[in-house]
Amino acid sequence: VVRFKGGDPFVFGRGGEEAEALVAEGLPFEVVPGVTAATGAAAFSGIPVTHRREAVRLTLVTAHESIKEQGPQVRWDLLGKDPHATLVGYMGLSALKGAVARLLDAGLAADTPAAMVENATTSAQRVVRATLAGLPAEVERVGLRPPALFLIGPTADRAERLDWFARQPLAGQRLVVPAREDVLAALLEAAGAEVLSVPLPLRPAARAAIGALPLTGCVLSRPAEVELLEDERTGAWWRGEPVAFCRGRAVASRARGAGWPLVEELESDASAARLVERILDRGCRGRL
Amino acid sequence: VVRFKGGDPFVFGRGGEEAEALVAEGLPFEVVPGVTAATGAAAFSGIPVTHRREAVRLTLVTAHESIKEQGPQVRWDLLGKDPHATLVGYMGLSALKGAVARLLDAGLAADTPAAMVENATTSAQRVVRATLAGLPAEVERVGLRPPALFLIGPTADRAERLDWFARQPLAGQRLVVPAREDVLAALLEAAGAEVLSVPLPLRPAARAAIGALPLTGCVLSRPAEVELLEDERTGAWWRGEPVAFCRGRAVASRARGAGWPLVEELESDASAARLVERILDRGCRGRL
């Protein structure tokens, strides 16, 4: 039995409780560490959570915990006393206002750099940056939604220079590309898109992957591909209103006939570079 | 250009400094997050660094930093005031005594569970567990060496039950197995050994991998394999005094003739199960 978890099983993943239950039943197990959300969000937002002489400590808290009544509370009073540190709050959206107020109370400077990252590491990632004091209002203004975590500390404003992920030409694009087009898929990915390279007809695992976040486009090169996606496109699990980027007139006609609301027609031999250009022309960038 | 780092580039990896240098030169880059040593060591020593109602905060520090004179210091005084937390100290060996003294001064209970992990996640992993107050003496008694990190917090004694890694039959074994024997390699790995499945003759990359830590054994199934390893075995990069587990009399004779000091002869058709048994009989377990 493999129990998959996002992130690391022992970092706010309840892996400890599950392992204890296995031991109690006498069942052997292994624990496989993973990339926890804090470091994933840091890498993809360009915030080095440690930096020599600037942030010499990294603390992860589950900010959510602190708004429950029972159990040990996060010691915001202590955390707010060390400016040379990065503080990352998991599930931080609902607890943000309270956490910021307590950190300010404890003496953390109001102009401490801070950021909140929604849907970290995905095509739907959105990053809001502000000062510590200004973060709650800015997060509310932009309308961030869970899952989101906050990063507070002196290095958070380095994202202004180091946000490589958001600067990629196709940042924010989430494209379905038939698995047959593997070279094209690799080139679109290199340009910053999240590419779902899936065999057609779709299998259940591919549907689950596609449905995890809204799509922005589908790259279609054959009329048969339009047909194979036609029933899928109207499924309840299908999210977003992706543009059909159709290579060739026949493919585009088929897509229009089948009722795709957004169809872009390209040359039948359109290259990856041409496709990138058209996606950019279409203006369907990420949500920020 | 790919710059490989152990762990996560932004967690005590100086990735921020390197990224700033790239930006200054106008060079594009990507940052790929990784499994940082703290979570790797936690998973492989069976210490859940967070646990509901027990440890609601995880702090990573580079303990080394605190013994330098310049720059911001780790605030042990603050860290010692929160018992519902796990504190992980990277490069913690030289700083351990000082860190423990300051944590105790700050009020952290002397009987707080604690552990130090050497060579985390590898076949050479050694774990020392003690109370916070007792950890420095125990680490010295056992003679731990860098690289090592410490974990301090209420969940550290859960390792008594959750140390799945050290309980595997072949824990501590580091075996060279010719790549041809891929099924055997998988079975030995499943029994807990670190298996270096390498094509013969060895290529430079294989030598680098083998030389990273001491070997405990080589599984040899053909006289030609003994020959191909003969010149390697005496190389300066070769570490440890591995046992030659030889399948068949001809292979064993060859190994003895070639001067392997430790030779174990098995049936020429010895199965993986038989091999596991012989490795255990040989008693060459890990170092603790």
Side-chain angles (χ1 to χ4, degrees):
Chain A
V1 177
V2 175
R3 169 115 167 78
F4 271 114
K5 290 180 168 276
D8 183 279
F10 277 174
V11 180
F12 306 121
R14 302 208 166 168
E17 292 169 59
E18 292 176 11
E20 291 280 10
L22 291 167
V23 169
E25 299 290 336
L27 296 168
F29 64 93
E30 294 187 14
V31 182
V32 180
V35 174
T36 189
T39 54
F44 280 76
S45 62
I47 297 176
V49 283
T50 70
H51 204 84
R52 212 153 35 130
R53 284 158 203 239
E54 218 169 290
V56 298
R57 173 170 72 81
L58 167 63
T59 293
L60 318 181
V61 300
T62 170
H64 197 60
E65 196 74 18
S66 71
I67 55 174
K68 292 182 193 163
E69 302 213 357
Q70 289 187 331
Q73 301 293 305
V74 172
R75 294 291 305 268
W76 305 106
D77 56 327
L78 299 174
L79 296 169
K81 285 194 173 65
D82 185 356
H84 299 294
T86 304
L87 176 63
V88 180
Y90 285 54
M91 298 181 283
L93 209 49
S94 55
L96 181 63
K97 260 189 194 169
V100 167
R102 289 175 198 194
L103 291 170
L104 291 171
D105 276 353
L108 203 57
D111 64 352
T112 301
M116 188 126 206
V117 184
E118 176 191 295
N119 281 315
T121 77
T122 74
S123 58
Q125 173 173 300
R126 296 197 295 173
V127 180
V128 165
R129 290 193 304 110
T131 61
L132 173 61
L135 190 63
E138 190 60 15
V139 163
E140 200 174 320
R141 191 186 67 76
V142 174
L144 291 194
R145 290 184 297 271
L149 49 73
F150 60 72
L151 300 101
I152 296 169
T155 63
D157 60 7
R158 289 184 183 270
E160 198 171 324
R161 291 178 301 282
L162 305 185
D163 64 337
W164 62 272
F165 183 64
R167 288 178 194 212
Q168 299 174 111
L170 295 190
Q173 293 295 334
R174 191 161 190 272
L175 309 171
V176 165
V177 179
R180 203 173 48 83
E181 308 276 1
D182 54 343
V183 175
L184 182 67
L187 291 166
L188 293 170
E189 218 164 54
E194 181 180 342
V195 175
L196 297 138
S197 179
V198 291
L200 294 176
L202 294 182
R203 282 175 288 208
R207 281 189 199 104
I210 294 173
L213 285 170
L215 288 173
T216 60
C218 294
V219 177
L220 303 167
S221 306
R222 296 177 176 186
E225 293 170 355
V226 179
E227 246 172 274
L228 286 168
L229 282 178
E230 190 40 37
D231 288 342
E232 308 288 353
R233 202 177 65 73
T234 52
W237 57 272
W238 185 270
R239 293 166 62 187
E241 193 59 91
V243 178
F245 294 97
C246 298
R247 299 208 286 183
R249 178 158 304 173
V251 183
S253 302
R254 191 84 181 217
R256 286 193 196 96
W260 283 69
L262 308 168
V263 176
E264 288 282 313
E265 184 179 325
L266 289 94
E267 306 75 28
S268 59
D269 59 349
S271 66
R274 179 85 187 97
L275 202 48
V276 169
E277 203 178 278
R278 278 299 276 281
I279 294 171
L280 292 175
D281 283 351
R282 194 72 183 67
C284 44
R285 295 295 304 272
R287 284 179 289 158
L288 263 194
Chain B
V1 178
V2 175
R3 170 116 167 78
F4 272 113
K5 290 179 169 278
D8 184 279
F10 277 175
V11 179
F12 306 120
R14 302 210 165 165
E17 291 168 59
E18 292 176 10
E20 291 280 9
L22 291 167
V23 169
E25 299 289 337
L27 296 168
F29 64 92
E30 294 186 16
V31 182
V32 180
V35 174
T36 190
T39 54
F44 280 77
S45 61
I47 298 176
V49 283
T50 71
H51 204 85
R52 213 155 32 132
R53 284 157 203 238
E54 217 169 290
V56 298
R57 172 171 73 81
L58 167 64
T59 293
L60 317 182
V61 300
T62 169
H64 196 60
E65 196 73 20
S66 70
I67 54 173
K68 292 182 193 163
E69 301 213 357
Q70 289 188 330
Q73 301 293 305
V74 173
R75 294 290 305 270
W76 304 106
D77 56 326
L78 299 174
L79 295 169
K81 286 195 172 64
D82 185 356
H84 298 294
T86 304
L87 175 63
V88 180
Y90 286 54
M91 299 180 282
L93 209 49
S94 55
L96 180 65
K97 259 189 196 169
V100 167
R102 289 175 196 194
L103 291 170
L104 291 171
D105 277 353
L108 202 58
D111 64 352
T112 300
M116 187 125 207
V117 184
E118 176 191 294
N119 282 314
T121 78
T122 73
S123 57
Q125 172 173 302
R126 296 198 294 173
V127 180
V128 165
R129 292 192 304 109
T131 61
L132 174 61
L135 190 63
E138 189 60 15
V139 163
E140 201 173 318
R141 190 185 68 74
V142 173
L144 291 194
R145 291 184 297 272
L149 49 72
F150 60 72
L151 299 101
I152 296 169
T155 63
D157 61 7
R158 289 184 182 270
E160 199 171 321
R161 290 178 301 282
L162 305 185
D163 64 339
W164 62 273
F165 182 63
R167 288 178 195 213
Q168 299 173 110
L170 296 190
Q173 293 295 335
R174 193 161 190 270
L175 308 171
V176 165
V177 179
R180 204 173 49 81
E181 308 276 1
D182 54 343
V183 175
L184 182 67
L187 291 167
L188 293 171
E189 217 164 57
E194 181 179 342
V195 175
L196 297 139
S197 178
V198 292
L200 294 176
L202 293 182
R203 282 174 289 208
R207 282 190 197 101
I210 293 173
L213 285 170
L215 289 174
T216 59
C218 293
V219 177
L220 304 167
S221 307
R222 296 178 177 185
E225 292 170 356
V226 180
E227 247 172 274
L228 286 167
L229 281 178
E230 190 39 39
D231 288 342
E232 308 288 353
R233 203 177 64 74
T234 52
W237 56 274
W238 185 271
R239 294 165 63 187
E241 193 61 87
V243 178
F245 294 97
C246 298
R247 298 208 288 182
R249 178 158 303 173
V251 183
S253 303
R254 191 83 181 215
R256 286 193 196 95
W260 283 69
L262 308 169
V263 176
E264 287 282 314
E265 185 178 327
L266 289 94
E267 306 73 28
S268 59
D269 60 348
S271 66
R274 178 84 186 97
L275 202 48
V276 168
E277 203 177 278
R278 278 299 277 280
I279 294 171
L280 292 175
D281 284 351
R282 194 71 183 68
C284 44
R285 295 294 305 272
R287 283 179 290 157
L288 264 194

